[in-house]
């Protein structure tokens, strides 16, 4: 679940860190990490800024949720979709695409809203968000009810890691796995490319 004014930045950064650790464990270097070939990076950055900005604006009452929600999700889908298409060579991003598809599916099935489990919120000590969700304080989230569709794809997974708490969806899990695998795969490809170039230089 997105907190006011932002996205799952902490977990996404943690996923990237896991990818970096795995890459180093497979003997990639920081130089290899710096040379990961990620095309159209602006699309992913733009999507994150757009969604975070609209969530912040909605939580401050600057934009109506019924306008910001569909706008954010449509534009994010377009931007990330383009980024995925441009980086089809990175198979780790396929998990990112799967996660995005799962989140989009449950949101569109619930008329632009991501249902959130009240039970999961209680488990991680975030019950104070329940009244806010009842008032639809941001562009997307609302409490799960009997009428919620595809609830198993909604925010129903409680997370408590090293003091960090949140409630996330299966799609978020796929996204985090995809981020870690993309960093690992990209670094290893950069390593192989650098080694191939070095071998060519030696022949000359």
């Amino acid at each position: 679940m997105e907190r006011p004014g932002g996205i799952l930045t902490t977990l996404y950064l943690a996923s990237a860190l896991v990818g970096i650790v795995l890459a180093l464990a497979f003997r990639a270097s920081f130089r290899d990490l710096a040379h990961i070939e990620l095309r159209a990076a602006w699309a992913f950055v733009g999507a994150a800024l757009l969604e975070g900005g609209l969530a912040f604006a909605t939580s401050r009452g600057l934009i109506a949720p019924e306008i910001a929600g569909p706008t954010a999700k449509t534009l994010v889908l377009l931007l990330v979709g383009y980024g995925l298409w441009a980086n089809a060579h990175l198979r780790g991003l396929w998990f990112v695409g799967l996660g995005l598809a799962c989140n989009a599916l449950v949101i569109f099935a619930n008329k632009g809203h991501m249902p959130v489990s009240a039970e999961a919120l209680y488990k991680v000590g975030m019950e104070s968000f329940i009244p806010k969700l009842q008032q639809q304080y941001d562009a997307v989230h609302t409490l799960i009810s009997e009428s919620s569709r595809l609830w198993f794809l909604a925010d129903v997974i409680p997370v408590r890691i090293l003091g960090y708490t949140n409630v996330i969806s299966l799609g978020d899990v796929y996204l985090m796995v995809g981020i870690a695998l993309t960093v690992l795969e990209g670094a290893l490809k950069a390593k192989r490319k650098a080694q191939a170039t070095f071998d060519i230089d030696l022949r000359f």
Side-chain angles (χ1 to χ4, degrees):
M1 189 189 80
E2 296 170 5
R3 294 173 182 271
I7 56 176
L8 294 167
T9 305
T10 303
L11 289 180
Y12 292 158
L13 289 177
S15 302
L17 181 60
V18 169
I20 291 172
V21 171
L22 288 173
L24 294 174
F26 279 91
R27 298 186 178 180
S29 66
F30 285 105
R31 180 183 176 84
D32 297 325
L33 288 163
H35 285 83
I36 292 177
E37 185 182 357
L38 183 64
R39 303 166 187 166
W42 60 266
F44 298 108
V45 175
L49 292 175
L50 176 67
E51 188 167 27
L54 284 174
F56 177 82
T58 305
S59 67
R60 294 295 184 272
L62 301 176
I63 304 177
E66 58 270 19
I67 296 175
T71 301
K73 291 306 172 186
T74 300
L75 292 177
V76 166
L77 276 174
L78 290 174
L79 286 169
V80 176
Y82 175 76
L84 294 175
W85 175 80
N87 290 280
H89 62 291
L90 293 174
R91 288 172 292 182
L93 281 177
W94 298 356
F95 281 93
V96 174
L98 178 60
L100 181 68
C102 288
N103 284 344
L105 186 61
V106 64
I107 287 171
F108 286 122
N110 289 281
K111 299 180 180 179
H113 293 95
M114 170 63 88
V116 182
S117 167
E119 181 181 353
L121 289 171
Y122 273 108
K123 286 183 178 180
V124 294
M126 293 176 62
E127 59 273 13
S128 62
F129 280 82
I130 292 177
K132 297 177 182 179
L133 289 169
Q134 291 172 332
Q135 300 171 8
Q136 295 184 356
Y137 77 103
D138 70 359
V140 177
H141 298 89
T142 188
L143 280 178
I144 283 182
S145 66
E146 294 181 356
S147 62
S148 296
R149 299 177 178 178
L150 302 178
W151 62 267
F152 54 91
L153 292 178
D155 284 342
V156 296
I157 304 174
V159 174
R160 189 189 295 272
I161 302 175
L162 298 176
Y164 176 84
T165 59
N166 212 327
V167 177
I168 64 175
S169 66
L170 179 61
D172 294 327
V173 174
Y174 285 133
L175 280 164
M176 290 183 287
V177 170
I179 290 171
L181 290 179
T182 298
V183 174
L184 172 60
E185 180 187 6
L188 294 180
K189 283 190 173 184
K191 177 184 177 181
R192 289 193 294 268
K193 185 176 180 180
Q195 288 176 337
T197 303
F198 181 71
D199 291 340
I200 291 173
D201 288 341
L202 285 179
R203 294 191 189 104
F204 284 99

